[in-house]
Amino acid sequence: MSICVSADKVLEKFILSKKDLESSFNRVPDQEVKCAFGMQGICCRLCANGPCRITPTTPKGVCGATADTIVARNFLRAVAAGAACYLHVVENTAANLKAIGLGQSDISLKGTRLLEELSSKLDLPGNNVGEKAVALANQVIQDLYRPRHEKMELVEKLAYTPRYKKWTELNILPGGAKAEVFDALVKTSTNLNSDPMDMLLHALRLGITTGIYGLGLTNHLNDIIWGEPRIRLAKVGFGVLDPEYINVMVTGHQQALVGILQDGLSTSEAINIAEKAGAKGFKLVGSTCVGQDMQLRGAHCQQIFAGQTGNNFTSEILIATGAVDLVVSEFNCTLPGIEPVCDAYGVPQICLDDVAKKQNAEYIAFSLAEKDTIIQKVIETAVERYKKQRPSVKVDIPEHGYDDVVTGVSQKTLKEFLGGSYKPLIDLIIAGKIKGIAGVVGCSNLTAKGHDVFTVEMTKELIKRNIIVLSAGCTSGALENVGLMSPSAAELAGESLKAICRQLEIPPVLNFGPCLAIGRLEETAADIAGELGVDLPELPLVLSAPQWLEEQALADGSFGLALGLPLHLAIPPFITGSELVTNILTKDIEGLTGGKVIVNGNVEDTVNELEAIIMAKRAGLNI
C-alpha cells in the first residue's frame, strides 16, 4: 500500500497496519499530479465565457482580465473566505457570552478576572459580571455588523499602538467586518475590480479583522466562559484513549459550542448511565483545534477531558482505533473522509453547526437554551454505540504520544511564568543565548514533504540554532506528538537554549494551542515590543506557516503581513502566475507594512533565510 509519509512514525506504522482503511494518507498518491493553472492562480471561472486560462500565448481572458487581475481576485476571494470562517466563530462565541450574561443559561463564567480587565481596558458599562459580559459581547457583535464606512471601534483599543498608527497611515483600518467580507466578494465578481493593488490592500484589512476579532477576541471570550489557560503537563496522542470509557471525539474550532459537554458528561447522572452500559464514565477526546483549545484550558476540565490526539489528518485514523463511540463536530478540519470510516466502525456523528454538516451526521442546531437536550442526545447516542458496537469491533490503540507535554501557555501565563515581565526573555535575547523567536503556526498538509514533515524538520533546525519556537495551530498537534513539546526536547536544542530549557524544565518549543492562539502570539509579541519600546517589525521575530492548508491560513497570513512580520510558506499561495502580485507580496509590501512573504520549499535554505532575518533584526536593535 502506497501512503503519504508522516513525521510521526508511530502513526505511519499504525496506518500501514490498517490494510482496509482508506484515509487522506492513501489518497495523496492519486492526487500527485496538480493543475498548473490552479497552482499559479491563473484560472478564472467567474463567467460563462470561461473557464479562461492564462498562458504566454493567451495572456488575457475573454473579458480582457490579465493574469495580475485574475490572481489578485482569486487571492482576495480566498482571504475573504478564510476571514469569514473566523468571524463566524467569534460571532457564535459572543452570542453565547451574551446569553450567559443575560442569565439565559446556568453556565457560570470561569474567567471573571479577565472580564474585569477587559471591561476596564475597553471602558465598557456594567455594574456586575452579567452586565459586563453582555456589554462586551454587544461591542463585538456591533463591530462585526457595522457598515463598511464605519470603522470597528475595538481595533484602536486592542491593536498595538504603533501598528494602529501604521494602519491609519496606510488607510487599511477595516470597517465592519462582515461588510469587508461582503464587499471583497462584490469586488472580485465578474467585470468589477481589476486593480491588483487595491485588492491586496483589501486583503490586509481582512487580515486585521481576522487577527483582532477572530484570533484575538475569540480567545478572550472563551477564556471568560471556560476559564483562562494554566501551565501544566498533559497527555497527548492516541494513548489518551481509554477503552474502559465511552469516548466522545470532538472536532472543529468552537469550544463555545462543545464546551457544554464538559460539565454535562461528568455529572453523577451521566456517569451512572455510562456505568449501567458497562463503562467507567465518559471522556471527551480532543482532535483538531477544538481539542487544542480544551487542552489549553484543561485545568478547568481535567476529569472529563482525556487529552489531545492530533491534528486534522489524524482524525480518520483515530476513528479506526475502534475506541471512539461518537464524533461531535462543529466546524472545519472535520474531513469529509471521516464519513466512510465512521460507517465502517459504526460510529455515529452529531453536528452542532450546519456550516460543518456532514452528509451522514445528525444535525442539532446549537442553542444554549437547548443545552440539556443536546447533552442528553449526545449521551444517548454515544451509549447506544458503546453497547451495540464495542463487543464486535476490535479496539486497537497504538502506544502513541507523550505524557508530559507542557501546555496552557498563553500571553498571560508565559509572562507570569517569567515573573510578571518579559524582561528575563528579553535579557536572554540581548545576551544572544536565545537568538530570536520563530512563530511556527497554522495547518498541516500532506504535500510539503509529507504529513508534518517540513514543520518538524524545520522546527528541529530552528531550536538547534538557539531560536526558540512558539507554536499555534495544527502545527502544535504535529510537534507535541513527536515529543518536541516535552521538556526532554531540550536535548535537541543548541547549547545555550538547551541550558535555559534544562534550568527552567521547559521544552524549546512552546505550545500555545489552536490556530486561534495566533492571536495570543501577536499579543505576546506586542508585549515584548512594548517593553523594548519598538514596533513589531523591529523584533528578531519571524513567522512560518510551513504547511499551510486552507483559506483560513491565508487570512492568518494577511494578519501577519499587516503586523509587519516576515512570513514563510513552504508552498506558494497560488499567486505565482502574476509577476506583479508575487513581487508585491514578496518584496514591495515590506516598504508598506514591514512584512513580506517568503516562499521556500527547502528546510535548510528556509532556516538559513529566517536566521539571517533574525540576525539582521538584532543588528538593527544593536544587540
Side-chain angles (χ1 to χ4, degrees):
M1 178 171 59
S2 175
I3 68 166
C4 169
V5 298
S6 174
D8 184 343
K9 292 304 173 188
V10 178
L11 176 75
E12 187 179 302
K13 183 178 178 183
F14 185 67
I15 296 169
L16 287 169
S17 75
K18 299 291 179 184
K19 303 297 183 187
D20 297 328
L21 172 65
E22 182 197 300
S23 72
S24 299
F25 289 82
N26 308 106
R27 292 186 287 268
V28 167
D30 293 338
Q31 291 289 343
E32 282 183 343
V33 178
K34 305 298 181 187
C35 169
F37 297 98
M39 288 292 291
Q40 297 175 81
I42 47 175
C43 175
C44 178
R45 54 180 182 85
L46 288 181
C47 80
N49 283 326
C52 291
R53 301 181 301 178
I54 302 302
T55 71
T57 55
T58 56
K60 294 181 180 179
V62 173
C63 69
T66 64
D68 299 332
T69 294
I70 292 170
V71 168
R73 208 157 53 187
N74 289 339
F75 182 76
L76 178 55
R77 282 208 155 201
V79 173
C85 289
Y86 282 119
L87 297 174
H88 178 85
V89 171
V90 72
E91 183 180 6
N92 281 348
T93 310
N96 283 356
L97 178 64
K98 182 176 180 178
I100 295 169
L102 289 170
Q104 297 171 354
S105 169
D106 58 1
I107 293 175
S108 298
L109 298 178
K110 293 185 173 68
T112 54
R113 185 182 67 165
L114 176 60
L115 176 60
E116 295 290 347
E117 291 171 4
L118 277 176
S119 295
S120 175
K121 181 175 183 176
L122 304 178
D123 195 24
L124 297 174
N127 296 315
N128 54 51
V129 166
E131 290 179 3
K132 290 176 181 178
V134 171
L136 175 56
N138 279 340
Q139 182 68 70
V140 173
I141 294 169
Q142 285 168 13
D143 270 5
L144 297 183
Y145 280 91
R146 289 184 192 283
R148 193 163 163 231
H149 60 81
E150 287 184 14
K151 302 303 180 190
M152 293 195 291
E153 293 184 355
L154 293 180
V155 173
E156 183 174 9
K157 296 177 179 177
L158 292 172
Y160 185 51
T161 301
R163 280 292 95 186
Y164 183 81
K165 290 179 180 175
K166 174 58 71 175
W167 297 341
T168 304
E169 176 190 322
L170 295 174
N171 193 28
I172 57 172
L173 287 174
K178 293 211 164 191
E180 290 285 1
V181 172
F182 187 93
D183 278 3
L185 296 180
V186 174
K187 183 174 285 189
T188 55
S189 190
T190 314
N191 298 330
L192 283 150
N193 196 302
S194 63
D195 183 346
M197 192 64 200
D198 180 81
M199 288 187 271
L200 295 178
L201 290 174
H202 199 133
L204 292 181
R205 280 196 292 276
L206 291 170
I208 295 169
T209 65
T210 295
I212 300 295
Y213 291 79
L215 301 174
L217 279 163
T218 303
N219 296 323
H220 292 317
L221 303 187
N222 272 321
D223 286 349
I224 291 169
I225 298 172
W226 308 112
E228 295 186 73
R230 295 178 194 162
I231 293 178
R232 66 189 181 96
L233 296 180
K235 291 178 65 173
V236 300
F238 286 13
V240 309
L241 284 167
D242 187 338
E244 295 188 340
Y245 283 82
I246 299 173
N247 292 305
V248 177
M249 170 181 164
V250 292
T251 71
H253 285 73
Q254 302 189 82
Q255 191 174 359
L257 274 55
V258 298
I260 62 170
L261 301 177
Q262 294 172 199
D263 293 335
L265 298 187
S266 55
T267 63
S268 57
E269 292 81 4
I271 294 171
N272 285 338
I273 293 171
E275 288 176 343
K276 285 181 181 176
K280 288 184 175 179
F282 292 91
K283 287 291 183 185
L284 290 173
V285 179
S287 179
T288 70
C289 275
V290 72
Q292 290 288 356
D293 241 339
M294 297 183 83
Q295 179 178 255
L296 195 66
R297 302 185 183 91
H300 304 280
C301 56
Q302 293 192 63
Q303 180 187 350
I304 188 73
F305 184 61
Q308 172 69 353
T309 55
N311 55 30
N312 45 357
F313 290 109
T314 63
S315 56
E316 295 163 300
I317 319 304
L318 182 68
I319 297 166
T321 61
V324 173
D325 297 295
L326 173 65
V327 175
V328 177
S329 61
E330 33 71 11
F331 207 63
N332 71 332
C333 292
T334 308
L335 306 180
I338 70 169
E339 297 178 67
V341 186
C342 282
D343 288 344
Y345 287 83
V347 179
Q349 299 175 65
I350 289 177
C351 177
L352 299 180
D353 190 330
D354 69 345
V355 300
K357 173 72 173 66
K358 291 289 174 286
Q359 188 174 2
N360 55 0
E362 180 176 357
Y363 171 59
I364 304 175
F366 181 87
S367 164
L368 269 188
E370 300 296 326
K371 171 175 71 74
D372 293 339
T373 302
I374 295 171
I375 293 169
Q376 190 60 34
K377 180 66 178 177
V378 167
I379 288 174
E380 290 173 358
T381 308
V383 166
E384 183 179 352
R385 191 273 175 183
Y386 180 85
K387 290 166 63 177
K388 183 179 178 182
Q389 297 291 337
R390 279 290 190 97
S392 58
V393 172
K394 180 185 177 184
V395 173
D396 181 12
I397 304 171
E399 292 185 13
H400 176 251
Y402 289 79
D403 294 339
D404 60 350
V405 164
V406 175
T407 184
V409 184
S410 73
Q411 73 281 15
K412 290 180 72 174
T413 59
L414 180 58
K415 186 188 282 188
E416 289 167 2
F417 179 78
L418 293 170
S421 161
Y422 282 107
K423 187 173 184 307
L425 175 59
I426 292 170
D427 287 344
L428 290 169
I429 293 173
I430 291 174
K433 293 182 178 179
I434 295 176
K435 279 183 189 169
I437 302 170
V440 178
V441 300
C443 320
S444 167
N445 69 42
L446 304 180
T447 51
K449 301 189 71 173
H451 177 237
D452 298 329
V453 175
F454 199 106
T455 297
V456 170
E457 289 184 2
M458 183 188 72
T459 299
K460 285 182 176 177
E461 189 61 30
L462 285 166
I463 62 174
K464 188 178 170 184
R465 301 189 192 190
N466 296 311
I467 297 169
I468 194 168
V469 170
L470 314 183
S471 175
C474 277
T475 50
S476 295
L479 298 170
E480 63 191 1
N481 276 356
V482 298
L484 287 172
M485 290 175 165
S486 297
S488 58
E491 303 309 313
L492 300 174
E495 288 304 316
S496 57
L497 181 57
K498 181 193 302 183
I500 294 164
C501 292
R502 280 177 171 174
Q503 182 184 354
L504 298 176
E505 298 181 340
I506 61 171
V509 183
L510 300 182
N511 181 3
F512 276 67
C515 58
L516 294 165
I518 293 171
R520 298 188 195 274
L521 296 184
E522 182 271 332
E523 292 179 39
T524 301
D527 278 354
I528 294 172
E531 290 195 28
L532 282 168
V534 300
D535 195 2
L536 292 174
E538 298 173 72
L539 291 177
L541 165 65
V542 292
L543 276 181
S544 175
Q547 298 199 234
W548 76 275
L549 179 74
E550 53 198 30
E551 292 158 330
Q552 281 175 261
L554 298 180
D556 297 338
S558 297
F559 183 45
L561 294 176
L563 293 175
L565 300 176
L567 170 66
H568 163 256
L569 308 171
I571 299 171
F574 308 140
I575 59 169
T576 53
S578 164
E579 186 176 350
L580 176 67
V581 172
T582 301
N583 281 337
I584 290 173
L585 292 179
T586 61
K587 297 175 183 173
D588 301 344
I589 196 173
E590 191 171 17
L592 296 176
T593 69
K596 65 176 181 179
V597 173
I598 301 162
V599 179
N600 197 323
N602 178 281
V603 171
E604 187 170 352
D605 289 349
T606 294
V607 177
N608 287 341
E609 195 167 358
L610 297 181
E611 184 182 27
I613 291 171
I614 284 174
M615 298 310 290
K617 302 282 184 180
R618 291 180 61 89
L621 292 171
N622 293 316
I623 60 175

